[in-house]
Amino acid sequence: MSKTIIVSNRLPIRIEKEDGKNLYKTSEGGLATGLGSIYKDGDNIWVGWPGISLPEEEEKEVEGELIQRNMRPVFLSEAEVQEFYLGFSNQTLWPAFHYFIHHMRFKDEEWKAYTDANQKFADAVSKWLEPDDVVWIHDYQLMLVPNMLRQKFPNITIGFFQHIPFPSYEVFRMIPWRRKLLNGVLGADYIGFHTYDDMRHFLSSCHRLAGYSYNRNQILVKNRLVEVDSLPMGIDYDKYAQSAKSELAKAKEMAFRNSLGSQDLILSMDRLDYSKGIPGRLKAFDRFLDENPEYIGKVSLFLIVVPSRDRVPSYKALKEKVEFLVGHINGKYATINYVPIRFYYRSYPLDELSAFYRMCRIAMITPKRDGMNLVCKEYIASRENQDGVLILSEMAGAAKELSDAILVNPNDEAEMVESIKRALEMPIKEQQRRMQIMQQTVSKYTIFQWVDLFIGNLRGLKARQEAMATKKLTEELKEELVAKFKKSKDPIIFLDYDGTLVPFFEDPEDSAPDEELEKLLTVLSKKAKLVVISGRKAATLDKWLTKFHIDLIAEHGIKINIDGKGWIKNPEIISSEWKDEARNIMEFYIQRTPGSFLEEKEHTLVWHYRKVEKGLGGLRSRELSSHLKHFLSNKGLDIIDGDHVVEVKPSAINKGKAAKERLKDMNSDFVMAFGDDRTDEDTFEALSDTAETIKVGNGFSYAKFAVENHEEVRSLLWNMVGER
Ligand code: GDG
């Protein structure tokens, strides 16, 4: 039976010392709740650090206790915690990924500690891992673990989810170990982020820094299909809704209210972290009171800061800054019976949190950057009467789902000030309208759905990988194909041209059919319907191939010539207005890349780099394709990284659709298709039920079989016609 192994830096448990004894306290965090249904079930386990450094003699006992709870500990020494966790994870990756580049530091010894600790986690997983297991690794502390496991277990199913943002390539590339980090993550099969932007940034870094080309959200890593996705995480909605409705929460709210008085409260609740934008919020509140003195005495900021990473110097400095600002603002506006900022530096049990969520009519959650932010979703779930206003930073992943919040740019102080006023003065009907919509969103997409979706997608991908594992065409299989062909009455064969029937030449004009190919096509066309389906221009195919009486499909399906009746244009093509912009971009790259050139077809543009110095061509092609992707997004175009080409074509057209269209009115009892590159995958996929599909070259493919090169294609075709 296969099991699921969850891996994260922290186990969902806290160990506390009381009278020399270890007490085990289950974590109530969102992730722990969501994954509870998985790791507590059957043989499944959760591997991670138990949160404290223990003397060696206690490790056995703790391990025994944790095993009973389906957990497996990775013990870290104080020095490891210092360098791996507080060091590299939180002073290199965390600031880089949240765009706080001035807080980043690069220390070789901390990178080494990170690598060693990741190896420790991978070793701990290996100890329990069996071939059919699914491993789900979480977050930025463990980016190297996927590939460490992949090296040891090439066929294992691995998922990776990153809970914090993934920055733009421009920031990520500053990290000295950027390629190692990317390759580490790419050991996973399925990689999830909270937002589409994170996913986009990750793909672009893989492309530009590590040389992987990608198609939509898929990357081929050493013949393994890897998928990158955006899956926003939700909360356990009912837990927060129920807790807020509970008598306990209501009683606590009443008690707090009695001592606080009747003023309006604005909730601010985060871990102590510079990414959360606490000083900015305080300054905006200060300015709000300054500009709107009528609110002095009527509204207070309820500021909860949860202690976190206080051994890291930048966090210590932040704490001092917050304390200074709170003191300054309170000193300025407080009266005998009014405290503008109620500041609490500690954490609270759930029932008290629920009371806070109930009693604050406004929640102001304005991080400078946040992967998702769950507090705002918990606030929404807790609003029993469907009133209340959420002020939310555009920079939180949650903003992508919660467009009915008042969205603000946390760097725009004037807008933040204005948003407080708007929230305080928002009519109740408007509050309810917005809150109802947000409650619908948050209650629909919960943590449980998120977990099911991730695991479902991961398993689905693995099944697709297996389906794509192309079989080498053995002599025996070849004989079977030949026999089938010979028995058929009305066979049809789709042939790609370059790389399939002829090898690649430095100059594409040198690829005209040689004598052997001419002979082969002459003989073959008498025994089967032949369709050459190529990315080439119609004119070129005409020049080289019309004499063989075969059907021609040019420019991936844009133009079609059937039975020599003349070229017709595919009616689905969009206008070619995009070409001027794309041509300008390509010409810019031609100037900078000696040996590269542009091929212009009626509805596609191709930048060729097969003559460019090795290395430079690849580098420029990656720059060019991300440049094109940026400028031509949403225009119904595909930007394809092909074999030594970058090609732009209308996405409504592809070889697969063209092949299917050609087959529509035929009654073929034998369908065969050959091709070598990405564009031929569309043919293989479209014909997968009906045809014998053959990929030329190595690599994953939708084709059923694979052969080495064009020579093997020709030899198989000769065998089929039974002469040479
Ligand atoms: C990372 C990403 C992403 C806070 N104080 C108390 C308390 N909490 C709970 C909240 C909430 C959680 O902690 C905080 O979650 P966030 O999402 O806001 O932030 P991070 O901890 O930075 O988490 C973040 C998240 O991963 C998930 O992927 O959203 O962007 O940075 O659940 O309620 N809970 C209790 N007492 C407190 O005082 N009981």
Side-chain angles (χ1 to χ4, degrees):
M1 246 291 270
S2 89
K3 64 177 178 301
T4 302
I5 304 181
I6 308 286
V7 195
S8 69
N9 175 49
R10 283 294 304 271
L11 281 173
I13 200 155
R14 272 179 300 128
I15 301 181
E16 284 174 12
K17 291 258 174 209
E18 210 177 276
D19 302 330
K21 278 195 159 167
N22 289 326
L23 296 184
Y24 298 85
K25 306 214 162 154
T26 325
S27 153
E28 283 174 9
L31 190 65
T33 314
L35 296 173
S37 56
I38 297 192
Y39 85 93
K40 289 181 187 158
D41 190 33
D43 291 338
N44 297 346
I45 51 172
W46 190 322
V47 176
W49 176 50
I52 51 169
S53 307
L54 293 162
E56 242 179 276
E57 60 276 14
E58 282 184 35
E59 289 181 355
K60 263 262 141 321
E61 173 215 311
V62 171
E63 181 166 21
E65 285 286 338
L66 294 178
I67 284 178
Q68 285 178 31
R69 295 169 166 83
N70 281 17
M71 297 182 204
R72 303 288 184 274
V74 177
F75 293 110
L76 298 174
S77 68
E78 198 41 46
E80 282 169 324
V81 173
Q82 194 62 42
E83 294 200 309
F84 146 69
Y85 179 65
L86 294 170
F88 194 80
S89 300
N90 288 329
Q91 293 186 73
T92 304
L93 296 180
W94 180 274
F97 287 16
H98 287 85
Y99 294 81
F100 280 80
I101 49 182
H102 52 288
H103 283 324
M104 280 194 288
R105 69 181 197 196
F106 306 119
K107 290 193 165 186
D108 286 323
E109 62 278 17
E110 289 183 350
W111 164 249
K112 187 175 175 309
Y114 183 84
T115 312
D116 293 347
N118 272 243
Q119 192 61 59
K120 237 180 170 178
F121 279 83
D123 291 345
V125 175
S126 307
K127 219 165 100 183
W128 308 100
L129 192 62
E130 285 163 303
D132 289 334
D133 291 350
V134 170
V135 186
W136 185 3
I137 300 155
H138 289 264
D139 231 359
Y140 67 104
Q141 302 93 347
L142 303 179
M143 293 175 83
L144 303 178
V145 177
N147 199 37
M148 287 170 169
L149 290 174
R150 176 71 56 208
Q151 295 308 315
K152 231 170 144 180
F153 306 94
N155 298 319
I156 213 84
T157 306
I158 306 175
F160 178 84
F161 190 87
Q162 178 154 312
H163 292 263
I164 65 172
F166 195 93
S168 146
Y169 144 86
E170 286 295 350
V171 170
F172 186 72
R173 71 171 170 161
M174 294 167 81
I175 303 172
W177 308 278
R178 64 236 172 142
R179 282 194 196 91
K180 291 194 169 113
L181 290 163
L182 289 175
N183 283 317
V185 175
L186 287 171
D189 299 296
Y190 184 61
I191 299 165
F193 296 95
H194 283 303
T195 70
Y196 174 69
D197 283 333
D198 299 323
M199 150 186 168
R200 202 165 55 75
H201 289 152
F202 178 74
L203 284 168
S204 134
S205 286
C206 289
H207 183 51
R208 304 183 71 168
L209 293 169
Y212 293 101
S213 56
Y214 60 93
N215 177 26
R216 286 181 218 121
N217 60 339
Q218 299 180 334
I219 313 182
L220 210 54
V221 181
K222 292 197 187 131
N223 294 342
R224 185 171 46 87
L225 184 72
V226 173
E227 208 164 86
V228 183
D229 213 347
S230 77
L231 280 183
M233 183 172 154
I235 58 164
D236 179 352
Y237 188 90
D238 290 341
K239 176 174 129 184
Y240 286 94
Q242 292 311 328
S243 172
K245 274 188 210 155
S246 70
E247 289 312 314
L248 188 58
K250 286 182 188 166
K252 292 221 158 150
E253 180 194 9
M254 193 108 87
F256 295 145
R257 262 293 166 204
N258 283 341
S259 27
L260 282 166
S262 61
Q263 69 222 221
D264 251 328
L265 293 172
I266 302 176
L267 177 71
S268 158
M269 186 175 117
D270 327 78
R271 265 187 319 100
L272 177 75
D273 200 296
Y274 46 78
S275 66
K276 302 287 183 184
I278 305 167
R281 208 171 302 153
L282 288 170
K283 286 181 195 155
F285 187 64
D286 183 2
R287 186 164 149 190
F288 168 76
L289 291 180
D290 192 44
E291 290 176 6
N292 300 277
E294 68 277 18
Y295 278 104
I296 298 173
K298 295 196 180 128
V299 55
S300 288
L301 187 68
F302 200 79
L303 178 70
I304 299 171
V305 178
V306 181
S308 162
R309 303 175 199 168
D310 43 16
R311 285 191 279 163
V312 174
S314 49
Y315 287 69
K316 263 192 230 153
L318 173 67
K319 182 167 176 261
E320 281 163 21
K321 191 167 182 182
V322 170
E323 285 167 350
F324 169 81
L325 283 167
V326 170
H328 168 77
I329 298 166
N330 279 347
K332 206 157 130 191
Y333 304 102
T335 61
I336 294 294
N337 44 20
Y338 172 60
V339 183
I341 300 177
R342 306 241 169 207
F343 174 41
Y344 310 92
Y345 181 65
R346 75 197 72 145
S347 64
Y348 289 91
L350 177 63
D351 51 11
E352 291 189 11
L353 278 194
S354 296
F356 301 154
Y357 287 146
R358 286 184 66 89
M359 70 187 191
C360 295
R361 201 174 56 82
I362 297 167
M364 189 169 182
I365 298 178
T366 51
K368 296 269 182 184
R369 282 282 160 181
D370 216 333
M372 171 51 61
N373 193 295
L374 300 178
V375 173
C376 63
K377 293 189 171 180
E378 294 163 9
Y379 175 73
I380 290 168
S382 307
R383 300 301 296 174
E384 187 184 1
N385 299 328
Q386 303 193 305
D387 59 351
V389 184
L390 173 65
I391 302 173
L392 179 62
S393 161
E394 287 167 13
M395 311 294 173
K400 304 277 191 293
E401 298 166 81
L402 302 174
S403 48
D404 283 282
I406 299 183
L407 295 179
V408 292
N409 174 351
N411 304 309
D412 185 341
E413 198 177 271
E415 190 184 38
M416 300 247 281
V417 171
E418 176 55 33
S419 75
I420 298 174
K421 193 154 192 286
R422 239 180 105 194
L424 284 165
E425 292 169 7
M426 188 180 281
I428 181 77
K429 282 235 160 339
E430 175 73 358
Q431 292 179 34
Q432 285 169 337
R433 186 189 65 75
R434 289 169 179 252
M435 191 54 77
Q436 276 166 11
I437 299 175
M438 293 195 286
Q439 287 190 342
Q440 271 170 17
T441 308
V442 180
S443 60
K444 216 155 80 192
Y445 194 68
T446 64
I447 178 79
F448 305 107
Q449 258 120 344
W450 178 79
V451 168
D452 287 351
L453 210 61
F454 189 96
I455 292 288
N457 290 352
L458 173 59
R459 287 188 190 278
L461 174 67
K462 202 68 194 172
R464 259 182 298 141
Q465 281 180 350
E466 277 157 18
M468 278 180 82
T470 310
K471 275 194 268 169
K472 181 95 194 80
L473 194 58
T474 59
E475 289 309 313
E476 219 177 334
L477 287 167
K478 277 185 196 164
E479 276 170 30
E480 277 176 33
L481 283 180
V482 170
K484 266 196 206 168
F485 174 74
K486 286 189 171 158
K487 253 202 271 164
S488 68
K489 291 197 174 56
D490 213 353
I492 179 165
I493 304 175
F494 292 92
L495 296 157
D496 167 53
Y497 189 77
D498 295 86
T500 299
L501 289 176
V502 294
F504 280 104
F505 291 89
E506 237 190 35
D507 186 344
E509 291 310 306
D510 291 343
S511 311
D514 52 77
E515 208 180 309
E516 188 212 359
L517 183 59
E518 293 213 336
K519 241 196 210 153
L520 175 62
L521 292 177
T522 312
V523 182
L524 193 60
S525 61
K526 291 191 182 120
K527 305 209 170 181
K529 173 93 224 140
L530 294 190
V531 186
V532 167
I533 182 164
S534 161
R536 291 259 185 188
K537 286 188 210 173
T540 313
L541 296 187
D542 252 345
K543 187 166 77 187
W544 291 345
L545 300 168
T546 16
K547 58 184 172 213
F548 303 108
H549 307 293
I550 58 190
D551 288 359
L552 300 173
I553 297 179
E555 296 189 35
H556 307 287
I558 286 175
K559 289 173 139 196
I560 299 157
N561 186 348
I562 293 175
D563 297 328
K565 287 185 194 145
W567 289 99
I568 48 166
K569 224 187 252 178
N570 188 322
E572 276 188 62
I573 40 176
I574 53 167
S575 88
S576 292
E577 275 169 24
W578 56 270
K579 275 174 98 183
D580 289 342
E581 198 170 352
R583 193 186 305 103
N584 283 342
I585 297 172
M586 284 182 169
E587 271 163 5
F588 173 65
Y589 281 82
I590 289 171
Q591 279 166 14
R592 297 164 62 214
T593 321
S596 71
F597 61 94
L598 182 72
E599 185 189 0
E600 180 148 2
K601 306 176 197 174
E602 202 167 329
H603 292 282
T604 51
L605 279 180
V606 194
W607 181 77
H608 288 261
Y609 65 95
R610 60 177 85 170
K611 292 184 189 171
V612 176
E613 180 193 340
K614 221 171 177 308
L616 178 67
L619 182 75
R620 287 279 190 270
S621 76
R622 293 194 285 278
E623 285 175 12
L624 170 62
S625 79
S626 36
H627 199 153
L628 289 167
K629 275 173 190 153
H630 179 74
F631 279 96
L632 301 176
S633 60
N634 306 325
K635 292 203 171 150
L637 297 165
D638 273 348
I639 288 120
I640 303 168
D641 296 297
D643 201 328
H644 292 93
V645 293
V646 175
E647 177 153 13
V648 188
K649 69 164 196 54
S651 36
I653 309 278
N654 68 47
K655 287 184 178 178
K657 283 192 188 165
K660 261 211 140 134
E661 185 62 29
R662 182 66 197 95
L663 272 184
K664 221 169 62 187
D665 306 320
M666 310 239 348
N667 225 349
S668 302
D669 53 352
F670 180 89
V671 184
M672 195 175 208
F674 291 86
D676 71 311
D677 78 6
R678 241 246 330 113
T679 61
D680 301 306
E681 290 302 316
D682 292 327
T683 316
F684 300 147
E685 206 180 349
L687 302 184
S688 60
D689 303 337
T690 42
E692 309 295 349
T693 46
I694 299 174
K695 153 124 182 134
V696 185
N698 298 318
F700 269 85
S701 169
Y702 284 105
K704 289 183 190 154
F705 308 111
V707 294
E708 276 302 305
N709 49 31
H710 73 285
E711 284 164 356
E712 209 177 334
V713 175
R714 290 188 188 189
S715 131
L716 174 63
L717 293 172
W718 278 121
N719 286 347
M720 285 162 53
V721 293
E723 50 182 286
R724 191 158 202 165

